[in-house]
Structures are given as C-alpha cells and as structure tokens.
Amino acid sequence: MLIRWSLAVLIGLLAGVWTAQRPGDPALLPAASSETAIVVHLLDNGFHTDLAVPRAALATGDDALARAVRALPPGDWVRIGWGDSVFYVEQGAISGRLPDGARAFFKPGGNPSVVMLDPDPTDPALFSEAERATLRLSPQGFAALRARVAASLRLDEGGQAVVSAQRDGDDAVFYASGETFWVGHLCNHWTAEVLNAGGLSMPMARSLTSGAVMRAARQAEQSAAELDLNDAGD
C-alpha cells in the first residue's frame, strides 16, 4: 500500500513539474497601442530554437554583449542561440554526430556551452509561419531579455566576451558561456528562460522540445493580438 501511494505521489509530482508554466511578467509586455515595442522573432528548425533580434537594439550600451554585437560583420538582425560548445558549433550529417550528441546530453556534470551571435541581413518576417513566431516586447521587456542573454556570456579579466569558435565561411561567432549544457538544460530550455525574462510565460520542463517553446510563444502572440482587437473595439 505504501509503495502504491509513493508511486502515485511521485507520478503526481512529475506530472505537475512537466505541465507547470513559469509565469511571465505582464508589466514587461507592451500596451496594445505602444509605438515603442521592439519586435523579436523566434525561429524553429524542427529541433532547435534561435531568437532573431534587431541589431541596433542589441548593440545599445557598453557592456560585453553590446561590444560583441558591434564587432560582428554586417547584418540588421542578429540570431541568438545557445548550445554545447562542440556539438552546436560543428556541422555535418547528424548520423555521424550521434555519439557526440549523446555525450552532450548525458555526460555527468554537464558540458561547456556557447552563445551564438550570427548577423543576418534577411528580415526574419520572411520566414514561413511554420518556422517563426513574432513577438512584441516593451523596451523594459527587451532590456530584461537582453540582460538574460548577456548574463550567459563568460567574460575575461578585462570584461570582454570570450570567443570560443568561428566557422570558415560563416559570419556566426560563438562566445563562451558560463552555463553548462546537459539533458536537464538544453538549447530550448535556455531560449525559454530568455523569453521568460522578457515577460512571457514559459513551460520550463516541456521546453525540452522546440515545439513546446514555439507553442508558448504563439500563445503569447495570440493573446497580444486579442488584446489589440479588444482595445480597438472599445
């Protein structure tokens, strides 16, 4: 009887963790009529999520993130991602990288990680709706999102972001991160944390998958659109 009760409690706790949402901060979201809202796009390639943000907004200030962004090659948008310092950087057929993927997921103690900053001249709004969610953040919400990205960077003694890797023929720069990568904290978990910092409610445990992050972002997008319609009808 005790074993059954314990199993039921454990299953209930796991279900609660899996379905729980980390609430956002509505105060960080823009008013429907706001003309100062900053547009941020969430991009999904089927298993990994990146953020695409306006370069000008990301480069504001004089912290390590701003200096890193200003040093990038040209591009009005910057894609931001996070991942394992080896698996995320390397390219090639996934079939040949499965052993390294298993290492990145399950190595005890986790793995070093990197923040990707990739300048892009292409407007993310041109991506298909299946690959993109578009979000409007208040200046305060964007500042909080930006601060979460900046907090991921590992800095040298001079306060500069540390370049970890670059790829031949690729403008993306991978900067060392102070966070660790493992199955309990994957790339999509990180993206969810960044969006949550910006004011969005996010399903942290279910953010294991890119689809869960996209669904939460689209829900925020839909809720904002409904507020716009309600305000227009008043």
Side-chain angles (χ1 to χ4, degrees):
M1 184 70 177
L2 179 60
I3 293 176
R4 289 181 181 177
W5 182 84
S6 299
L7 286 173
V9 170
L10 178 60
I11 292 171
L13 288 172
L14 291 174
V17 169
W18 184 252
T19 58
Q21 292 271 125
R22 182 183 293 178
D25 184 354
L28 295 178
L29 301 178
S33 60
S34 174
E35 297 181 357
T36 61
I38 297 172
V39 174
V40 171
H41 300 277
L42 178 65
L43 306 177
D44 178 14
N45 70 3
F47 64 92
H48 171 87
T49 48
D50 284 333
L51 294 167
V53 305
R55 181 179 186 142
L58 198 62
T60 299
D62 193 36
D63 62 357
L65 178 58
R67 292 191 292 271
V69 170
R70 290 197 290 267
L72 294 171
D76 291 337
W77 293 86
V78 176
R79 291 200 199 185
I80 306 172
W82 179 88
D84 179 77
S85 63
V86 178
F87 186 79
Y88 183 37
V89 175
E90 291 184 349
Q91 296 177 305
I94 193 69
S95 58
R97 301 166 60 206
L98 291 177
D100 189 51
R103 182 271 311 159
F105 269 59
F106 301 116
K107 179 183 176 182
N111 303 277
S113 64
V114 290
V115 175
M116 181 193 75
L117 299 178
D118 186 5
D120 193 343
T122 305
D123 187 343
L126 298 176
F127 281 70
S128 72
E129 292 187 3
E131 301 172 298
R132 169 182 52 85
T134 300
L135 305 162
R136 296 169 67 250
L137 301 179
S138 69
Q140 296 80 8
F142 182 82
L145 177 149
R146 185 190 179 284
R148 177 62 183 85
V149 174
S152 290
L153 296 171
R154 180 164 61 81
L155 308 183
D156 63 18
E157 293 181 356
Q160 304 295 325
V162 178
V163 175
S164 176
Q166 291 181 267
R167 298 185 294 222
D168 292 338
D170 191 330
D171 287 340
V173 182
F174 297 85
Y175 291 90
S177 172
E179 302 180 53
T180 54
F181 184 96
W182 66 293
V183 70
H185 189 230
L186 300 175
C187 54
N188 298 313
H189 292 128
W190 184 87
T191 302
E193 291 170 359
V194 171
L195 290 172
N196 181 249
L200 278 67
S201 177
M202 280 285 143
M204 301 313 300
R206 281 179 287 131
S207 293
L208 184 76
T209 66
S210 63
V213 182
M214 291 296 289
R215 284 191 292 274
R218 289 197 174 104
Q219 180 59 53
E221 186 180 12
Q222 180 180 346
S223 297
E226 291 171 353
L227 285 175
D228 283 347
L229 289 174
N230 290 338
D231 288 350
D234 290 341

